[in-house]
Each structure stands twice: as C-alpha cells, then as structure tokens.
Amino acid sequence: MTKIKKEELAVAALENGTVIDHIPTQSLFKVVNLLGIKDLTSSVTIGFNLDSKKCGKKGIIKVADVFFPEKTLNRIAIVAPNAKINVIRGYEVVDKHTVTLPDDIVGIVRCGNPKCITNNEPVDTHFHVVERGDNVVLKCHYCERSFKDDEIEII
Amino acid sequence: MKNNSLVSIYDYSKEELLELLDDARHFEENPNQDLLAGKVVATLFFEPSTRTRLSFETAINRLGGRVIGFSDAATSSSSKGETLHDTIMMVSNYADLIIMRHYLEGAARYASEFSPVPIVNAGDGANQHPSQTMLDLYSIYKTQGTLDNLTITMVGDLKYGRTVHSLLMAMYYFKPRFNFVACKELQMPVEYKIFCDKHGIEYHEYTDFSEEVINETDILYMTRVQRERFTDLMEYERVKNLYTLRNSMLAGSKDNLRILHPLPRVNEIAYDVDSNPKAYYFKQAQNGLYARQAIICKVLGIKVNR
Ligand SMILES: [Zn+2]
C-alpha cells in the first residue's frame, strides 16, 4: 500500500471512496451518467480538462464513501477504455486496476439502425463485443448489425 | 424464455441442419401427413409477403394443422398502436406456434425472448430469413447430392441481398468455395469477407460476369439488382444488364451446374434460360414447402417418422 503522491492529488484528497482517473475528457459526462453519480448523496469532485502526461486532457471523478461493484465500473469501459480505478481507504490506495469491457453490453448503447426493434419498442438494447482492443466492434443482439466504436452512441 | 424458436439459421448446428434436410426429403416423398392434427399455428405478417405466407400456410395445411393470422399490418391490431410484445402475448393464448414476418430487424429475436410458444422467423426486415436459407440448402443438397466442397458463384446484389449473406454463413460447415460477381457499388460487404478469412473459406471477387467463372461453378446463385439500391442512377443504367444470365453463357458449364434465384426475378435471368435443364429456380421455390414442413415439426418437437 502506498501513500497518495502529491501530484496525484489533482482535485482534492479523499479519506475513503473511489477515484476514477484517466477518463478521456470528451467522455467525462457520459461516465458521470453511466455511474449514476447524480443520484449519489455523498460528496463528489469532478475534474474536467485536467492536464495529463499520457493523453493531453483528461477527466477525473472522486467519489467519497462509495465503493462501486466491479460490474458497475465496467459499464464505463465502452467510453473510457483506459480508465484507472483507485479504491481508497484511510487516505491510502488499497486497490488500483483498469476497467474491463464486458462480453455483453445491456442497456448502455443505442443501436444505430433506425429499423432495429430496440429503436421502436420499449426493449433494452443488447450488444455483443465482437472485437476488442483499439478497434472495438459491437454487434446488436437483435438486428445483428455491427458498429465500430466511433459509431457508437451512448443512451 | 428458452424455447425451440428459429430466428436465424445460425441457431442450428451442422447436425441439426443435416437432420432438417433429411426431414425435408422425407416430406417431399410424402407431403401429406397428419403430424399437426389438433394444432393451431398463427401466421403473423406485419409486412406482406404473399409468397412466403402461402408456402408456410400450405406446409401447415399439408401437415393437418389449422391456421389463424393476418397478412399485413393494416388489418392487425398493430395499426391501432399495439406493441409487438402485446400482439405476441395475445396470439400466444390461441396458437401453439407463431410464424412471423416483420419490417423491423430483430423483431423475431425479441419475440422469441418472451413468447410462451415457439417463434419461427419468416423474415425480419433486411436481417434474417432462415426458411429461405433452409430451402436454398435443400435445393443445393438435392441437386448436387452433397453440400461439401462445392463452388458457389453469387451474382448481382451481394451488398444488400440477405439471402446470399445467410447462405454464405450457413455453408461454412461444408467447406465451400465462393465466387462473388458484382459491380463496385454492390460488392460483398467486408464483414462477410472477414468471416470467410476467419474460417479459411476460399473466395474470389469479380466485376465481370464471365463464362470462365460460370464454367467452374456448381451452383450459380443469381439475385436481383434493384434500382433503389443505387445512390448513382447513372451507375445503375450502366450495370443493370451486365449481370444478366443468358442461355448462351451456359454452353461450357458443368453438367451438374444448377441455377438458383430467390425469386421474383426481374431481368437478371433471360427467359431463354428457363427451358435449360440447369434452371432450377422454380423447383427451388417448391422445395420451400418441404423445408418449411421440416422446420415447423422441429420447432414443435414433433418427431418425423422416416
Ligand atoms: Zn439493432
């Protein structure tokens, strides 16, 4: 276990909670929605357009006193594939890991096919991840069309 | 809900496909059997397709079942704004099986997830039409005596033609070799070429519809080139007659060559081909009846006595 270094204290120190770092700046508010941050009652600090050594500008979210289930955190992998999760207890980082894109994505991505049943009836969208890595490809479970990551729209 | 629905031809394994072909052959020998006695089958056509509906309803009648349903959305409750979900739930109170065609893609998959009775997809927009693929497979099997190691040449609209896409993917169990003949605008989509590469399926692409390609072919699968598929109408005018099969082009073809077409045709097969014994497209449509009898029995779990 390591003490948080000064330079990592980009926004504010956290006693207990979760820090989601290395969010692409254009995805920050999508991540906020996917994690349901606006329904939380604990204190949340959101950093936007921060300088990053790795990727130019980044976003960061610090949530006090909340430890998200892995399944919830992995929901953001589609928009923030390189996000780093820091779990903090007593001002110390007790766990540090990246997010993993699940095999199935339910209710997060809109199907880009206007003739798809999911755009015409009240049904949760469902995609299968058919390609991973730098060129993510999702296939709609219903209309069976495939979409590249730059064509993907978050609900 | 887990049931025996048939939504896509890829829901079936190689063994299941071969079993269905065997059943279809059995029905061809003896089409009238009382296997559906006491059963009610609903044919729900949210989008009209007379050909497919008549084929399915004939299959049900020849099996001794009864049919309820509608032939287009204007006469159904969906025209009053009822959801697909509610229509399926209502009909499942009455029928043992629902055969549905819908203009929305994924409609049958969705219905199969909550329907208490099995669903057979009779076409969902541009997506799947598994009974068409099944009758294509049966036609190939019957005319060639095997599905293995055949050279299949697909001609015309390979971009939007769902029948060629489904056939391509269903054939992958049987080590095929493909020729794709199409103009630039209507070439086989990249994802199907990736599929071939992934599964070690040999394919060649041509923009010329030449006798050289025809002469090495076992199955010549012709499709319609439709005007509305073109963004550039000049291009349509240029290519519309380039992919037409004429009887003279068959002079050097293999004896076992057969010509398939999902019908209806427009001008992609000249009428002088019809009298050639290698023309198989009308018989192919008739095979649809036997393929559909086999499918109906399979989804209802009815054993076919051979
Ligand atoms: Zn879709």
Side-chain angles (χ1 to χ4, degrees), chain B:
Chain B
M1 187 162 297
K2 186 80 194 127
N3 58 34
N4 288 325
S5 294
L6 172 60
V7 175
S8 153
I9 196 75
Y10 329 123
D11 294 347
Y12 285 158
S13 66
K14 180 180 180 178
E15 289 65 36
E16 287 177 301
L17 290 180
L18 290 173
E19 203 174 58
L20 276 168
L21 294 175
D22 235 21
D23 290 349
R25 185 166 54 187
H26 169 77
F27 285 119
E28 179 161 13
E29 287 159 8
N30 187 4
N32 299 311
Q33 301 188 44
D34 249 6
L35 294 168
L36 288 189
K39 297 255 193 276
V40 175
V41 179
T43 54
L44 309 186
F45 278 60
F46 298 88
E47 170 190 66
S49 171
T50 308
R51 218 172 266 283
T52 302
R53 187 172 55 84
L54 290 181
S55 179
F56 268 114
E57 294 187 354
T58 305
I60 298 157
N61 279 296
R62 290 201 179 275
L63 290 169
R66 291 173 184 271
V67 182
I68 59 168
F70 50 81
S71 55
D72 69 85
T75 59
S76 79
S77 46
S78 63
S79 65
K80 299 193 186 98
E82 187 177 58
T83 61
L84 172 63
H85 176 272
D86 291 1
T87 305
I88 295 288
M89 289 310 282
M90 182 266 293
V91 173
S92 69
N93 290 327
Y94 308 137
D96 301 291
L97 166 67
I98 294 173
I99 294 166
M100 63 178 277
R101 186 184 186 97
H102 207 288
Y103 45 90
L104 293 174
E105 289 148 26
R109 176 74 64 200
Y110 170 55
S112 75
E113 289 176 345
F114 61 80
S115 171
V117 301
I119 301 283
V120 169
N121 185 7
D124 59 325
N127 187 28
Q128 299 290 335
H129 192 7
S131 64
Q132 173 72 43
T133 311
M134 205 59 228
L135 78 88
D136 289 343
L137 288 178
Y138 182 57
S139 298
I140 296 171
Y141 180 64
K142 231 176 87 177
T143 59
Q144 307 297 316
T146 178
L147 289 175
D148 294 305
N149 305 306
L150 297 171
T151 296
I152 299 174
T153 298
M154 298 171 160
V155 185
D157 179 357
L158 306 187
K159 185 174 180 185
Y160 300 101
R162 70 175 168 193
T163 56
V164 294
H165 301 158
S166 298
L167 181 61
L168 182 153
M169 293 183 71
M171 282 302 295
Y172 105 92
Y173 295 124
F174 306 102
K175 297 195 181 62
R177 199 174 149 266
F178 288 110
N179 294 313
F180 302 142
V181 181
C183 66
K184 281 255 173 310
E185 266 202 64
L186 298 179
Q187 277 178 355
M188 187 60 78
V190 174
E191 56 182 298
Y192 295 100
K193 291 189 253 176
I194 293 173
F195 177 86
C196 288
D197 291 335
K198 263 191 182 162
H199 293 93
I201 296 170
E202 184 185 336
Y203 66 89
H204 303 274
E205 290 187 279
Y206 303 92
T207 49
D208 274 356
F209 186 25
S210 70
E211 291 181 33
E212 204 185 326
V213 176
I214 294 172
N215 292 350
E216 59 164 48
T217 298
D218 300 309
I219 289 290
L220 186 55
Y221 200 102
M222 302 295 298
T223 63
R224 226 165 24 257
V225 174
Q226 288 165 289
R227 192 168 190 260
E228 57 268 30
R229 299 300 192 199
F230 285 80
T231 46
D232 179 359
L233 286 180
M234 295 275 283
E235 176 71 3
Y236 171 74
E237 291 302 323
R238 195 183 68 76
V239 306
K240 69 175 179 188
N241 294 320
L242 292 181
Y243 301 97
T244 297
L245 179 67
R246 292 168 219 289
N247 198 35
S248 57
M249 296 161 76
L250 297 167
S253 63
K254 293 166 82 169
D255 289 342
N256 64 308
L257 171 85
R258 289 297 178 273
I259 302 147
L260 269 55
H261 187 297
L263 300 182
R265 74 170 147 177
V266 187
N267 66 343
E268 55 281 350
I269 301 177
Y271 288 104
D272 66 0
V273 179
D274 291 1
S275 54
N276 191 313
K278 293 173 183 174
Y280 195 74
Y281 27 93
F282 295 117
K283 193 75 179 61
Q284 177 190 2
Q286 192 193 341
N287 287 337
L289 170 62
Y290 315 126
R292 291 182 172 110
Q293 286 182 297
I295 288 169
I296 289 166
C297 287
K298 179 169 171 63
V299 296
L300 283 173
I302 294 169
K303 264 246 165 299
V304 178
N305 297 314
R306 291 193 219 115

Side-chain angles (χ1 to χ4, degrees), chain A residues 116-140:
Chain A
C116 179
I117 187 75
T118 61
N119 288 315
N120 293 274
E121 286 239 340
V123 40
D124 274 348
T125 66
H126 181 171
F127 286 84
H128 305 291
V129 177
V130 290
E131 298 284 344
R132 296 174 166 271
D134 289 341
N135 300 302
V136 171
V137 175
L138 302 184
K139 185 174 185 179
C140 177

Side-chain angles (χ1 to χ4, degrees), chain A residues 7-55:
Chain A
E7 54 268 34
E8 286 179 3
L9 298 172
V11 184
L14 207 57
E15 185 178 353
N16 293 300
T18 307
V19 178
I20 301 128
D21 199 358
H22 293 291
I23 303 167
T25 212
Q26 72 276 10
S27 301
L28 178 71
F29 292 100
K30 287 176 187 161
V31 171
V32 168
N33 285 335
L34 287 172
L35 294 176
I37 301 261
K38 72 174 176 10
D39 301 321
L40 297 176
T41 50
S42 58
S43 69
V44 177
T45 317
I46 294 174
F48 183 50
N49 281 336
L50 306 180
D51 289 318
S52 157
K53 273 176 249 143
K54 279 187 191 162
C55 54

Side-chain angles (χ1 to χ4, degrees), chain A residues 111-113 116-118 127 140-145 147, chain B residues 105:
Chain A
C111 184
N113 173 10
C116 179
I117 187 75
T118 61
F127 286 84
C140 177
H141 173 71
Y142 293 100
C143 72
E144 305 185 29
R145 295 251 185 120
F147 300 93
Chain B
E105 289 148 26

